[in-house]
Amino acid sequence: ANTARREAEQRRTEAMWQTYVARLQPMMYRWEQKEYGQLESMLDQAIPTEEDEPDFRGWEWHYLRNLCRQRTSAIDETANFDWHFDWHPATQRLAVFRDNGLELWVGDPPEFQSAIAGHAPGIVRFSPDGTQLAVADKFRISIVGVGSGKTTATMDLAAHESTHRNSRLIESLDWRPDGEALATGTNMGAIHVWHPEDGELIKPIKTLPNNFPCNDMHWHPSDNVLAVGTRYGLVFAINIEQDKPAWQKKIDRAYVCSVRWNLSGTLLVGATDDGSDLAKFVVWDRDGNEKMRSAKRAITGSSSIDWLDDERLVVATTDQDIHRFQVDDAEPVETVRAVSYTHLTLPTKEDGW
């Protein structure tokens, strides 16, 4: 009897999940058609009404709900987003560049908290503990206190590299997981490691071939190794102390748009986007051995990629789909249609994505 009851409950939960998923595309259609009243009603229908009813709402529900709220809040329909932003899951803070500059939002869904003046639109990244922001424009990186909004340190690339005619622009940056160092990469392949407390240069890294842009970078969670994605499908795992690649691998001949270590640092994924349906990603182990390659035409052009956990990852594509993969399966196991994005940041939950 208990087994039958559990099976019935599982069937009920699965049916409710399928109903929720089936509602997502119509919800997004209502937004695109500006049928806001119907969208609000559909969003309300996804809210659990019983105490024991599972709550399937993820970031996609809160994103649509927040879009509705933005129509009557500080974010209005005519606002221009530069879409340089970062999300810190632990503190539930969002840093985003908009018309009025850099803004901080907090909560789920986010509510406006404060504006930070004096920064041109560029890359923005929270420190690991969420108390600081690294803000990079063309040649300069500022460390900004989240609570005070004040700049505590400045790193000037022009003092260490030629910046003639915009030939040295900051393309990527990432905090070391301990928060004691910050790496930046330029469009000409120059990598610098900085001390964020005082802005001093720790060391320049001359590993990449000249004119190879640092499209994306990600520190290993426990080792002093920096993954860098660049042109011609090349991914480098750079040993910072030795200033040389631990290994380098090739995905294809396309632009590498994203590189990410998994949570334990045992796997690295790199994704490319050549603007066609041949976009792909590859997973390597810590030593650079290939573990998985996505199937051809499994996804269209990649926009970004990240890990849900050590075995599952998600890929955002240029056709506004988000695909979930297992590392042992070259085909996506699930796909969700999104509205729009250019960058993927994942405040994930243990029981879902």
Side-chain angles (χ1 to χ4, degrees), residues 156-187:
D156 190 358
L157 184 65
H160 304 279
E161 290 284 334
S162 168
T163 55
H164 179 61
R165 293 183 180 178
N166 295 341
S167 62
R168 301 279 181 176
L169 305 179
I170 297 172
E171 289 280 333
S172 57
L173 67 83
D174 195 37
W175 291 81
R176 199 167 68 187
D178 62 5
E180 297 297 319
L182 181 76
T184 60
T186 73
N187 62 335

Side-chain angles (χ1 to χ4, degrees), residues 57-71:
R57 293 175 298 164
W59 67 267
E60 69 290 330
W61 185 93
H62 293 291
Y63 177 73
L64 287 170
R65 174 68 86 187
N66 200 43
L67 285 178
C68 292
R69 291 178 176 176
Q70 288 169 9
R71 298 183 60 250

Side-chain angles (χ1 to χ4, degrees), residues 4-130:
R5 188 160 46 250
R6 284 195 300 270
E7 291 176 350
E9 183 61 28
Q10 289 175 356
R11 289 194 296 270
R12 173 177 174 269
T13 301
E14 178 64 20
M16 294 172 67
W17 165 248
Q18 294 297 338
T19 299
Y20 174 77
V21 171
R23 287 174 173 169
L24 291 177
Q25 185 64 31
M27 287 181 188
M28 294 167 189
Y29 176 79
R30 299 302 179 198
W31 171 258
E32 293 168 354
Q33 297 300 310
K34 299 185 178 181
E35 298 173 355
Y36 305 120
Q38 295 185 46
L39 174 57
E40 287 276 12
S41 177
M42 296 178 72
L43 290 168
D44 290 340
Q45 292 173 17
I47 301 175
T49 57
E50 302 294 336
E51 184 175 344
D52 61 342
E53 185 177 342
D55 188 356
F56 298 114
R57 293 175 298 164
W59 67 267
E60 69 290 330
W61 185 93
H62 293 291
Y63 177 73
L64 287 170
R65 174 68 86 187
N66 200 43
L67 285 178
C68 292
R69 291 178 176 176
Q70 288 169 9
R71 298 183 60 250
T72 55
S73 70
I75 300 182
D76 60 39
E77 290 181 290
T78 61
N80 175 37
F81 282 83
D82 287 299
W83 287 119
H84 295 282
F85 69 93
D86 195 28
W87 167 258
H88 192 266
T91 59
Q92 292 197 328
R93 280 194 173 98
L94 175 72
V96 60
F97 274 104
R98 297 182 56 245
D99 287 330
N100 299 322
L102 180 60
E103 295 181 352
L104 284 176
W105 294 63
V106 64
D108 186 6
E111 299 288 343
F112 177 77
Q113 182 181 34
S114 61
I116 300 176
H119 299 281
I123 304 169
V124 57
R125 293 288 182 271
F126 280 102
S127 62
D129 63 4

Side-chain angles (χ1 to χ4, degrees), residues 335-351:
T335 297
V336 171
R337 183 73 170 174
V339 177
S340 63
Y341 49 79
T342 57
H343 176 76
L344 181 64
T345 305
L346 291 169
T348 58
K349 299 179 180 179
E350 293 183 358
D351 59 347

Side-chain angles (χ1 to χ4, degrees), residues 86 93 95 97 101-104 113-120 123-137 140-155 173 175 182 195-199:
D86 195 28
R93 280 194 173 98
F97 274 104
L102 180 60
E103 295 181 352
L104 284 176
Q113 182 181 34
S114 61
I116 300 176
H119 299 281
I123 304 169
V124 57
R125 293 288 182 271
F126 280 102
S127 62
D129 63 4
T131 62
Q132 300 179 95
L133 283 169
V135 184
D137 55 22
R140 180 174 296 179
I141 310 98
S142 301
I143 304 300
V144 180
V146 170
S148 66
K150 296 181 179 179
T151 298
T152 59
T154 301
M155 290 144 274
L173 67 83
W175 291 81
L182 181 76
H195 196 292
E197 184 175 352
D198 54 18

Side-chain angles (χ1 to χ4, degrees), residues 141 157 160-161 168-174 182-194 201-219 225-230 235-240 243-245 259:
I141 310 98
L157 184 65
H160 304 279
E161 290 284 334
R168 301 279 181 176
L169 305 179
I170 297 172
E171 289 280 333
S172 57
L173 67 83
D174 195 37
L182 181 76
T184 60
T186 73
N187 62 335
M188 299 293 284
I191 299 173
H192 296 83
V193 181
W194 310 85
L201 177 65
I202 297 175
K203 67 183 303 184
I205 304 296
K206 303 296 184 180
T207 297
L208 294 187
N210 193 30
N211 299 332
F212 275 52
C214 301
N215 299 331
D216 193 28
M217 56 174 51
H218 194 221
W219 283 95
V225 174
L226 185 70
V228 178
T230 182
V235 174
F236 294 79
I238 301 173
N239 187 309
I240 296 299
D243 191 4
K244 67 179 184 180
V259 288

